[in-house]
């Protein structure tokens, strides 16, 4: 099975192609330009570098949210366009789950945090557990499904679990000092090699979800925002103020 994977949910833009258990290509950019400027050129570059025939793609895995509203829409629109043209399914991969998958095999709790502004983060709590008798924990288990929380609240939840944790995501540099202030359990920050969105993780987790029957048509697919956009919040606040 050949998967095309996309992640434009945050500051990073990333695209990858995976066939069965082999990552064929990955292109990741985390520098200034908007996803509308980078994502399609990245796909075109991958296509030419690996002589990719788009007709050989069996499904598109996309980071489906939460994240940047604009970024999610760009990724979703790109995935839908390819899926519609090829009549292939879309695998909606939860953004925070995919971030956690970067740290495959760790025995520590994983806490991805994406800056959601207003002192909140998009986050969740995860661990890897062994389903079979293997030395490496290999199944991602959600201890707290992805959600939007105050940074202090997520720290308190981790402290209550009483286990060491690894933080990753673009929220780390924003809330690093607060993490240091509120964490009582041992904590670590993931290194640069695996602390941001990667389309390779979207592809790998997407393949697992596809095997479980988690996929949808292009017409069915829509991003999962988790909360209202700033424009929607301001409009509702304006309405309430008038009332």
């Amino acid at each position: 099975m050949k998967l095309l994977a996309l992640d434009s949910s945050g500051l990073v833009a990333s695209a990858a192609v995976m066939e069965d258990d082999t990552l064929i290509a990955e292109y990741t950019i985390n520098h200034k330009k908007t996803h509308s400027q980078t994502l399609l050129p990245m796909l075109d570059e991958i296509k030419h570098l690996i002589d990719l025939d788009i007709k050989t793609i069996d499904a598109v895995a996309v980071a489906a949210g939460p994240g940047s509203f604009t970024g999610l829409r760009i990724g979703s629109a790109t995935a839908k366009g390819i899926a519609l043209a090829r009549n292939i399914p879309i695998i909606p991969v939860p953004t925070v789950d995919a971030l956690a998958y970067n740290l495959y095999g760790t025995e520590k709790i994983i806490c991805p945090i994406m800056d959601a502004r207003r002192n909140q983060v998009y986050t969740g709590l995860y661990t890897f557990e062994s389903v079979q008798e293997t030395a490496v924990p290999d199944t991602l288990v959600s201890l707290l499904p992805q959600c939007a929380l105050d940074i202090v609240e997520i720290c308190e939840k981790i402290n209550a679990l009483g286990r060491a944790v690894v933080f990753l995501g673009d929220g780390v540099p924003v809330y690093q000092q607060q993490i240091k202030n509120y964490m009582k359990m041992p904590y670590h920050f993931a290194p640069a090699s695996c602390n941001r969105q990667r389309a390779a993780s979207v592809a790998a987790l997407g393949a697992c979800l596809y095997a479980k029957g988690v996929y949808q048509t292009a017409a069915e697919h829509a991003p999962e925002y988790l909360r209202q956009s700033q424009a929607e919040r301001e409009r509702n606040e304006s309405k309430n103020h008038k009332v």
Side-chain angles (χ1 to χ4, degrees):
M1 180 181 185
K2 188 178 285 186
L3 282 179
L4 171 65
L6 307 170
D7 194 329
S8 57
S9 59
L11 300 175
V12 172
S14 187
V17 175
M18 186 179 82
E19 186 167 12
D20 299 326
D21 291 329
T22 301
L23 179 65
I24 300 172
E26 184 180 27
Y27 195 151
T28 300
I29 292 290
N30 183 20
H31 184 71
K32 296 181 180 179
K33 291 184 178 180
T34 64
H35 298 322
S36 60
Q37 295 173 293
T38 56
L39 198 58
L40 288 176
M42 288 163 58
L43 286 174
D44 191 55
E45 187 73 9
I46 287 175
K47 179 176 178 292
H48 285 94
L49 286 172
I50 65 172
D51 297 320
L52 176 66
D53 182 352
I54 205 71
K55 294 179 181 178
T56 64
I57 297 294
D58 297 303
V60 182
V62 62
S68 157
F69 283 66
T70 302
L72 290 176
R73 290 183 183 119
I74 291 170
S76 177
T78 305
K80 285 167 78 76
I82 296 170
L84 277 169
R86 288 281 303 116
N87 193 29
I88 55 177
I90 290 176
I91 307 167
V93 179
T95 302
V96 182
D97 293 30
L99 257 174
Y101 215 72
N102 285 5
L103 301 182
Y104 179 90
T106 183
E107 296 181 352
K108 297 180 176 64
I109 290 175
I110 306 166
C111 182
I113 53 173
M114 298 172 63
D115 185 16
R117 308 292 178 89
R118 300 164 76 102
N119 212 45
Q120 283 196 327
V121 291
Y122 295 125
T123 187
L125 295 176
Y126 303 86
T127 187
F128 280 94
E129 295 180 358
S130 296
V131 174
Q132 301 175 346
E133 294 298 322
T134 58
V136 179
D138 57 3
T139 301
L140 184 67
V141 176
S142 173
L143 302 176
L144 174 69
Q146 59 178 22
C147 55
L149 287 179
D150 183 281
I151 187 63
V152 177
E153 189 174 355
I154 191 64
C155 288
E156 290 174 347
K157 288 182 180 295
I158 298 168
N159 289 332
L161 290 173
R163 289 173 56 187
V165 62
V166 183
F167 291 97
L168 73 159
D170 61 38
V172 169
V174 179
Y175 296 103
Q176 191 169 26
Q177 189 57 53
Q178 287 174 269
I179 291 171
K180 292 177 179 179
N181 291 342
Y182 290 102
M183 282 302 303
K184 298 177 181 177
M185 300 307 300
Y187 62 88
H188 310 269
F189 299 118
S193 58
C194 56
N195 69 2
R196 294 293 189 274
Q197 283 89 342
R198 289 192 60 187
S201 291
V202 174
L205 185 52
C208 296
L209 294 173
Y210 185 86
K212 296 176 182 178
V214 180
Y215 52 86
Q216 54 196 190
T217 66
E220 293 171 329
H221 175 68
E224 182 180 357
Y225 298 117
L226 282 190
R227 69 179 197 181
Q228 293 179 320
S229 68
Q230 182 176 344
E232 289 171 322
R233 289 196 303 268
E234 290 176 352
R235 183 172 63 248
N236 290 335
E237 288 170 2
S238 176
K239 287 180 179 178
N240 293 335
H241 181 71
K242 289 178 180 178
V243 172

